[in-house]
Amino acid sequence: MLEASSRSQLQAALTPYKRAGKRVALVPTMGNLHQGHLSLVQLASQHADVVVTSIFVNPTQFGPNEDFASYPRTLAADREALRNSQCSVLFTPTTADLYPFGGDCAVMLKAPAALTNCLCGARRPGHFEGVLSVVARLLLISQAEIAVFGEKDYQQLLLIERMCADLGFATRILRGPTQREDSGLAISSRNQYLQPTELARAAALHASLNQLQQQIRAGNHDYDALRQAAIKHLQAQQIEVEYLQIVNATTLQSASNNDRQLRILIAARLPGARLIDNIGVEI
Ligand code: PAF
């Protein structure tokens, strides 16, 4: 595995591959890698000759009261995990590489309000502007043909797909399926903050999503009643539901009976962590 810790080093590492007509895939991450990230690397390797994994804790996607300073930085362990994966190049840019004019003078992308004023975006103002602004930079620097993002962060994935389509990026975005524990709990770096009893309780999130999926498939399209019942059920298990929404999978607006592709998304708080998950339903 090659390593590049600056924009120019990455471009130097990729030039021979590009000259030889090899396909480059990018897997952007903020590090603290787990099985979910490694599955994205594996997916990338099935579609490209060279897989670049970037690790960069992006300051512009954290709000003033969020955990940028304490975000886990585990480069040694991440490097080891990537060495044992299909990753060809580890890219660890500096802030100056990605924001050469400094945070205050950086050009930032504006995310469409309809896709950001809801779900996680409603609770994290400016977050998705930061995500789009860093992902655009990473795509431009790497000139990747393919980039892979996890479905677990569904709103983020949709916004990145929209950005690439709207701005005419040549990069094809691949969706990486959510990786799960045996209990069904979505694998996330935040799971490490949960005590074993909380971990067991957290499996109720996926169970609720599954049940809603089955109810909708069985023909129950009273989405509001379904979500209210699911929220009550989770609250009865002492799970604080931040949101549970059944939406159109493309617009993220509340699902109507004409919609055929739905997404059910949840964010919930347990002592120790805020967790998110989602599931698709085709009608
Ligand atoms: O999902 C993440 O880890 C981050 O939001 C991303 C896409 C790497 C941008 O910083």
Side-chain angles (χ1 to χ4, degrees), residues 113-130:
L115 293 180
T116 36
N117 290 349
C118 54
L119 306 166
C120 289
R123 281 126 192 120
R124 299 186 73 184
H127 168 68
F128 287 118
E129 277 77 6

Side-chain angles (χ1 to χ4, degrees), residues 3 70 162 183 235:
E3 288 199 33
S70 62
R162 172 66 65 86
S183 67
Q235 284 170 341

